[in-house]
Every structure is written in C-alpha cells, then in structure tokens.
C-alpha cells in the first residue's frame, strides 16, 4: 500500500506541466549560478561568455537575512499567554467563605448584623483580590514555562532547523520543518569526576529537503494530506533501533543482513542524479556509501490491513475504520507501525511558501517570480561581456593572396615587416591593402543601462530592494537617514505577508503540537493546559523598530508625580526592564526585582514612621545608591498596610 501511494505521489510531482520537480532543480541551478544543459548547449553553440548574473541568488540571501532578523533574533517570535480568567484554587474559595462567615459572626456578636449588600460587596472584594493574585501567579507561571519550552527548543535543534528552513523558503516552491520527533539519545552527567551515561528521550526538530517529501496530490491544505518522507540511514542507525520498544526486531535484522553491506536505494526519483551533482554529494544511483533508504509514511490505514500486519486488536477495535498511523518501510520490510500520538490527528510536517497560491500547498518562490527578469539579465550580461571582448581592440583583415610565400599573417607584434606580392590582376590600388584594421563598435554603456534597468525591475517585482540588502538607496528619499528608514519600513511591510505565512502554517501548529506533547508526557506541572501559544512573527516584524521608541516616549510622558502615583515604582520598573532588554542588556540585573523594590518601600516607610514619632531622634535618610549595597536580605519588619485584620489575611492567602 505504501509503495503504491509513493509511486502515485512521484508521478504527480514529476508530471510535465503540473508537477514541480523541474522547478526544484531550476531553483538549485539558479542558486548555484548554473545554466541547464539545454541552455548551456545553445550558448556554447553560439560561442562567447557563459557568465551568470545571479540576481535571484542575491535576492534569496537578502530575504533569508531579513526573515532571520525576525525569527532568530533575541526577541522570541512566540510566547506563552496565561489564561484570561485563571481558575481560583478551591482552598482559596473555602478560605474566603470561612473568612466572610467569621466576619459576619463577629459583627453579629457586636450587635451590628450586616445586610445582604454588605456581605456581597465583601465577597466581591475578596474574590477580586483572589482573582488578581491568581492572574499574577498564572502570568509568572507562564513566563517560567516559556523559558523551559525555549530550552527544549534549543536542545532539540528547533532554531537550527528554522535557520535552514528560512534558506529554503525564498528559494524553493515550498519549505518544510518536521517535529517534534522523539529520539533516545545518550545524556552524560558527571558525578564525582566520573561520567554517568543515561539514555533519555528528547524532542527534536529538523528541516526536510523539498526533494525528500511527497504528499497526496490534489489536496488544498497539507494538513489533509498523507505524507511520505525519504530518509537515509546507516547501519549504526538501525542497530540503535534494536533496543527500542515498538520496533520489529526481526525485520530490522533482516534489513541488516540483506542491505547492511551494500545499502539500498530502490526509492529513487528522477531528480536524484542532478540534485546530487549540484549539492556536491555522491550520486545515489551508485551508493558506494552503503546508505539505506527508508520511507516514513504518515496517513490513514484501514483497520483490516493493520490487523493483518499484526497490530493488537485492542488498538484497532474496528477493522472497517481507518486509523491514523506512522509506518517505516525499508525495502520490503516494515520496521515499525504505531498509531499517531498526536491528539489532533495531524502529522508533524509543516509546510509554507514565500508566496502562497490559493488551493495548493505549493506556492511561488523568488526563482519563479523573477525567472523572466533573470533570463533577460543573463542574456544582457553575456552580450555585454562578449561586446567588451570583441571591442577591446582592433580587428584585423588579412588578404592571404597578397602575402608572400611563408609569411605568417596570424602573428602580430610591433615593427613587424610584411612581405607581400603584387596583385596578379595588375589593378592594385591604395585601398587594396594586404593587412587592414578596423575597430568594432562598443555597446557597453547601452547594455549596462539595460542590465541595470532590469535589476531595478527585479527590486520592484521581488519587493526586496537593494537597500534592504545593505546597498545604498541612491537618490530621492534614500539620500537622508530618515528617508532611508521610511523606505526600509515600507519595503519590510511586504515581508510581513511572508512572516504571516510562517506564523500561520509553521509556528502555530508546530508549537501547538509541542504543547500537546508536553501536556501528554510532562509530570512536573510545567503547563496547566489553560495557557495559549501566541506567535509574534508579524508583530516582531512590524514593531521591532518602533517598540523601543514608544517605550521611551511612555517613560517621558509618565515622568511626573501624578502618573507616578498611578503606576508606582513597580510599574515603572517593569517598563525599564523591557527597555533595557530591547537594548541587549539583562533587565533583571539593571533594574531591581519587584521584591527588592517592595523591601525598599518598606524600609522607607519605617524610616518615615520612626522620624515622625515624638521623642525620637531623626533617623538619617540613606544616601541614594547605598541602600541597595547594604543588602536586601535583612528583615524588613512588619509591613505598613492600610488594610487591617481579615483583609490582610485573605489577601496574603490569595497571593
């Protein structure tokens, strides 16, 4: 069944006109600056220069650099949002109920029984304090979870995969990231100077080459497709699988016996040979490296077929239904079949395009958008080089009939003496020269102008101008710093569409899948399930240049006594931390923590209270900057709080 699906997918991709195999090869040729065989033969038949302009390659590198600045910068392009209305723990709800009941009993004993409105207002007040405390706790927990998830992504190679993915995106009709994939890897820890090796399961991500992935033809969304990926394995990879649960050990041993020495490459495609040459790899049809080709299939398989293979009937209760599974095939041997662990029943391949085409996962990349422009640039550049070569010096006309016997007309050097004969017709004239010179016309300036004009057209069509790649903007608004910033801001808006494609098609489902995996396997309570994954790629692209200026403006506007009473030192410290982090500094080291600020406020209140008491000497105020050096770990004393009795107790309990 898998081979039948694979053959059908290959035929569709390689089909002339509707397939995209040739587009993949053309993209590689464009990036390497090489002509296809037919075009190169035509150029060589004509003769002259084989120069390649590489306009598209420059645009691809520029687009990748701009996208890297968004998705691989210190500012994360994603985050974890706490729940809008976090659940208040039952213990806090019970404490509120007991507290209100106690206050009511106290008032009744004092002869002042409260009415219903007073009780409701008191409950609302305490619930508001508890809800605010729950929101603060959820926010802190989301921040901690975000840092832990970022560590998982770094250890699993997610950002490395994104870096390679961003190179593919402007080059190929589509780009792909796969993950998370669970792998058992050795982890080394040191105890007493000795290495302790343990095999642990970790999550990994990797970039999948567009040449090595196929899917169901005709689907409009990649989520609805069955997917087949082709991977290359070594004997070591297969040996490592023998000790893992879920794998068919007998079939793996059969694969090692049959293909372990010479390898196997039966799942070849028409693009493999030329692709191997352009990627500087061994031709897979030779396979002297002994690599073993494996097909990984993700899709729906009928329950009857799974039972025939030998899957447990408890996992496949209905043989007439289809089940979403993952299968690994080598040669004629299935080495593993498992039900997909994803609760969303979605494969872990995430695909998007530089320019999406509605109704298909395959879009347009810069080689598709700029193909005609680069053809003209290449033709103009070849003509320019040929014309420069021809017009670099005079052309020589030699009348072989006028040369004396033995005279070599192919050699030219200063002060050469030419031996000639009389014209046998007897009608020699001054114009009848045995050797003559003429200068071909140079069209360099005209050709250079045409080339430059089409390079500018490429800027307009690709929406990636030269000044976004580091070149000067030339005249007009680009002559001033503010004008150039305005032009760059307008041009970057075009890339926001590409960033939106990445956010919607890659980051959101990929991080959502990771969220599900953590919820299914984590026992530490990293996530509660109420959080949400937010993707900020477009926001980073649009606000990165203006966010810092807005924060500085906010600090200036609120630098007055009235606003300070509203936001307080803690609120201003939060803004200062954010500004310092955008400047590349550690905000937690530059600005004191919230606890330190509260301790400082308590100390200041105690000093003011001591100075205000009659009969006490005035306590000297600390010099600014020295209080922090005195250490914040000393006891701060009782807090001065306007809330008395039960209010303080329930507020502290909620926190």
């Amino acid at each position: 069944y898998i081979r039948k699906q694979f053959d059908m997918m290959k035929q569709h991709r390689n089909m002339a006109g509707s397939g995209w195999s040739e587009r993949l090869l053309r993209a590689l040729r464009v990036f390497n600056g090489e002509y296809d065989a037919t075009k190169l033969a035509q150029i060589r038949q004509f003769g002259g220069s084989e120069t390649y302009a590489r306009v598209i390659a420059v645009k691809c590198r520029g687009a990748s650099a701009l996208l890297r600045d968004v998705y691989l910068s210190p500012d994360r392009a994603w985050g974890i949002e706490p729940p809008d209305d976090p659940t208040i723990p039952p213990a806090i709800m019970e404490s509120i109920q007991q507290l209100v009941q106690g206050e009511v009993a106290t008032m009744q004993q004092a002869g002042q029984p409260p009415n219903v409105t007073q009780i409701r207002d008191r409950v609302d007040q305490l619930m508001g304090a508890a809800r605010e405390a729950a929101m603060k706790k959820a926010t802190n927990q989301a921040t901690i979870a975000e840092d832990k998830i970022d560590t998982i992504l770094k250890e699993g190679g997610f950002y490395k995969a994104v870096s390679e993915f961003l190179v593919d995106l402007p080059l190929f009709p589509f780009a792909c990231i796969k993950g998370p994939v669970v792998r058992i890897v050795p982890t080394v820890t040191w105890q007493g100077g000795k290495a302790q090796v343990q095999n642990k399961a970790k999550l990994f991500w990797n970039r999948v080459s567009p040449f090595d992935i196929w899917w169901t033809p005709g689907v409009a969304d990649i989520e609805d497709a069955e997917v087949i990926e082709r991977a290359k394995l070594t004997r070591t990879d297969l040996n490592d699988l023998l000790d893992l649960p879920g794998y068919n050990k007998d079939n793996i041993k059969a694969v090692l016996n049959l293909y372990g020495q010479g390898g196997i490459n039966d799942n070849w495609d028409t693009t493999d040979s030329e692709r191997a040459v352009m990627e500087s790899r061994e031709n897979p049809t030779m396979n002297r490296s002994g690599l073993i080709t494996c097909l990984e299939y993700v899709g729906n398989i009928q329950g009857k077929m799974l039972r025939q293979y030998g899957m447990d009937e408890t996992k496949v209760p209905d043989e007439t239904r289809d089940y979403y599974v993952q299968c690994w095939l080598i040669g004629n041997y299935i080495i593993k079949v498992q039900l997909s662990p994803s609760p969303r029943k979605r494969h872990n391949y995430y695909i998007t395009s530089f320019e999406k085409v509605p109704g298909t996962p395959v879009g347009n990349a810069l080689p598709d958008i700029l193909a005609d422009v680069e053809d003209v640039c290449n033709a103009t550049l070849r003509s320019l080089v040929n014309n420069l070569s021809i017009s670099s010096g005079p052309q020589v006309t030699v009348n072989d009939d006028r040369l004396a016997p033995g005279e070599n007309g192919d050699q030219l050097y200063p002060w050469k003496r030419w031996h000639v004969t009389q014209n046998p017709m007897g009608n020699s004239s001054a114009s009848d020269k045995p050797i003559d010179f003429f200068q071909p016309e140079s069209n360099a300036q005209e050709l250079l102008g045409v080339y430059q004009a089409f390079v500018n057209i490429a800027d307009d069509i690709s929406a990636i101008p030269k000044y976004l790649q580091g070149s000067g903007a030339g005249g007009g608004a680009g002559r001033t710093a503010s004008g150039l910033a305005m032009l760059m801001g307008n041009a970057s808006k075009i890339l926001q569409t590409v960033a939106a494609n990445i956010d919607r098609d890659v980051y959101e489902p990929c991080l959502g899948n990771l969220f599900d995996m953590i919820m299914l396997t984590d026992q530490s309570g990293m996530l509660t399930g109420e959080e949400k994954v937010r993707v900020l790629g477009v926001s980073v692209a649009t606000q990165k240049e203006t966010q810092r200026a807005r924060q500085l403006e906010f600090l200036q506007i609120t630098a007055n006594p009235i606003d300070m009473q509203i936001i307080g030192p803690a609120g201003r410290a939060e803004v200062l931390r954010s500004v310092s982090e955008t400047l590349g500094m550690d905000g937690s080291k530059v600005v004191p923590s919230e606890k330190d600020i509260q301790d400082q406020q308590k100390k200041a209140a105690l000093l003011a209270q001591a100075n205000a008491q009659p009969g006490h000497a005035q306590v000297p105020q600390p010099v600014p900057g020295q209080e922090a050096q005195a250490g914040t770990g000393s006891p701060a004393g009782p807090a001065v709080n306007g809330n008395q009795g039960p209010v303080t107790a329930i507020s502290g309990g909620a926190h």
Side-chain angles (χ1 to χ4, degrees), residues 24-37 39-40 43-44 49-61 171-172 274 277-280 367 374-375 377-378 381-382 451:
L24 295 175
L25 291 174
R26 186 175 71 235
L28 267 186
R29 288 193 292 263
V30 164
F31 198 69
N32 293 334
E34 301 175 2
Y35 293 103
D36 64 83
K39 186 67 176 179
L40 187 60
I43 294 173
R44 289 177 176 175
S49 173
E50 299 177 7
T51 305
Y52 201 100
R54 303 198 71 175
V55 174
I56 295 178
V58 174
K59 297 298 181 186
C60 289
R61 290 196 295 270
L171 179 61
F172 295 110
E274 187 174 353
V277 172
M278 288 188 287
E279 292 182 349
S280 301
E374 179 150 286
D375 286 343
C377 288
N378 285 335
L381 194 60
R382 292 197 307 269
Y451 177 80

Side-chain angles (χ1 to χ4, degrees), residues 69 110 152 187 195 215 222 238 252 266 312 334 358 432-433 483 497 552 608:
D69 194 40
I152 294 175
T187 303
W215 60 78
I222 192 63
L238 291 174
I252 293 177
D266 57 341
D312 190 353
I334 296 287
D432 189 16
K433 300 177 181 179
T497 303
L552 293 175

Side-chain angles (χ1 to χ4, degrees), residues 87-98:
T87 303
I88 300 176
I92 300 298
M93 298 290 294
E94 185 177 354
S95 298
I96 292 175
Q97 184 178 3
Q98 293 176 358

Side-chain angles (χ1 to χ4, degrees), residues 179-344:
V181 177
V182 181
R183 297 176 189 166
I184 307 296
V185 294
T187 303
V188 180
T189 57
W190 294 90
Q191 297 180 359
K194 295 182 179 180
Q196 304 292 331
V197 181
Q198 294 180 341
N199 290 329
K200 293 184 178 180
K202 288 190 175 182
L203 302 177
F204 289 89
W205 291 260
N206 61 281
R207 164 254 185 187
V208 178
S209 172
F211 287 94
D212 292 329
I213 185 171
W214 294 260
W215 60 78
T216 308
V219 295
D221 195 329
I222 192 63
E223 294 185 11
D224 303 326
E226 299 178 1
V227 178
I228 292 180
E229 179 195 356
R230 180 180 58 181
K232 301 287 187 180
L233 305 179
T234 63
R235 283 183 59 91
T236 303
D237 297 329
L238 291 174
N239 279 281
D240 292 341
L241 301 179
L242 289 172
D243 300 326
L244 299 181
Y247 285 89
N248 191 319
K249 296 179 175 56
D250 294 335
N251 285 358
I252 293 177
K253 291 180 180 179
V255 168
L256 289 172
N257 290 331
L258 290 176
Y259 315 123
Q261 301 300 323
I264 181 174
N265 185 43
D266 57 341
N267 301 311
W268 61 273
D269 199 359
T270 56
T271 60
D272 289 351
S273 297
E274 187 174 353
R275 171 198 174 191
V277 172
M278 288 188 287
E279 292 182 349
S280 301
R281 294 185 295 101
E282 178 191 37
N283 193 322
T285 57
M286 302 177 64
N287 198 20
R288 288 176 292 184
S289 302
L291 295 177
I292 299 172
T293 303
C294 174
L295 294 182
E296 179 178 350
Y297 169 87
V298 184
N300 290 294
I301 299 290
Q302 190 178 26
K304 182 178 181 180
M305 195 182 307
L306 294 174
R307 285 187 177 184
Q308 291 174 351
Y309 172 73
M311 286 195 69
D312 190 353
E313 293 187 2
T314 59
K315 296 181 179 180
V316 188
D318 189 352
E319 65 176 16
T320 61
R321 297 188 60 178
D322 289 350
Y323 294 87
Y324 203 67
V325 300
Q326 294 175 273
C327 306
W328 287 264
L329 169 68
I330 299 178
N332 294 323
Y333 297 93
I334 296 287
I335 63 172
K336 185 179 181 180
V337 179
Q338 70 175 14
L339 296 176
S340 176
S342 172
R344 305 178 191 273

Side-chain angles (χ1 to χ4, degrees), residues 446-647:
E446 182 178 357
L447 291 171
L448 191 60
V450 173
Y451 177 80
Q452 189 60 50
F454 274 89
V455 169
N456 294 335
I457 292 175
D459 289 351
D460 297 335
I461 295 177
S462 65
I464 305 176
K466 292 187 290 294
Y467 48 80
L468 286 181
Q469 305 162 201
S471 303
R479 291 178 296 180
T480 63
S482 59
L484 180 59
M486 181 183 65
L487 291 176
M488 294 180 68
N490 292 334
S492 63
K493 292 179 181 178
I494 305 299
L495 286 177
Q496 294 174 21
T497 303
V498 183
N501 295 340
I502 299 174
D503 289 353
R504 181 179 58 255
D505 298 334
V506 178
Y507 262 67
E508 286 184 4
C510 186
L511 294 176
N513 197 356
L514 173 61
F515 188 95
D516 295 338
M517 292 289 289
I518 293 176
M519 292 299 301
L520 289 172
T521 58
D522 181 64
Q523 303 295 329
S524 64
M526 182 191 309
L527 298 171
T528 64
E530 296 180 345
E531 299 87 353
K532 297 179 181 178
V533 178
R534 71 179 188 275
V535 181
L536 308 172
V538 175
S539 300
V540 172
T542 56
Q543 298 179 4
K544 189 174 183 180
E545 297 298 329
T546 60
Q547 184 178 17
R548 187 184 310 162
R550 298 293 181 265
Q551 290 172 342
L552 293 175
E553 291 176 3
F554 178 80
L555 288 175
Q556 294 174 358
I557 294 172
T558 57
N560 59 80
I562 299 177
D563 290 337
M564 280 300 299
Q565 291 180 358
I566 299 175
I567 64 175
R572 192 167 182 83
E574 186 66 27
V575 181
L576 288 173
R577 288 191 200 97
S578 179
V579 172
S580 60
E581 289 173 357
T582 59
L583 296 175
M585 297 182 290
D586 189 349
S588 61
K589 295 181 179 179
V590 176
V591 183
S593 65
E594 184 177 353
K595 182 179 180 302
D596 293 339
I597 294 176
Q598 291 176 354
D599 291 342
Q600 293 175 8
Q601 291 176 333
K602 292 176 182 178
K603 290 179 181 179
L606 288 174
L607 289 172
Q609 184 179 7
N611 291 333
Q613 292 178 359
H616 289 273
Q618 295 291 325
V619 179
Q621 297 291 336
V623 179
Q626 293 182 356
E627 183 179 1
Q629 298 176 2
T632 59
S634 60
V640 177
N641 195 328
N643 296 328
Q644 301 294 330
V647 177

Side-chain angles (χ1 to χ4, degrees), residues 101-142:
Q101 291 175 354
E103 291 180 355
V104 170
T106 302
M107 295 180 69
Q108 288 177 346
Q109 293 176 1
Q112 297 177 352
N115 56 36
V116 177
T117 303
Q118 290 177 322
I119 297 175
R120 184 177 63 247
D121 293 342
R122 181 61 172 154
V123 171
D124 291 342
Q125 178 189 4
L126 295 176
M127 287 294 296
R131 186 173 291 105
E132 182 180 354
M135 177 62 73
K136 184 176 181 180
K137 181 180 178 181
T139 302
N140 294 334
Q141 185 175 359

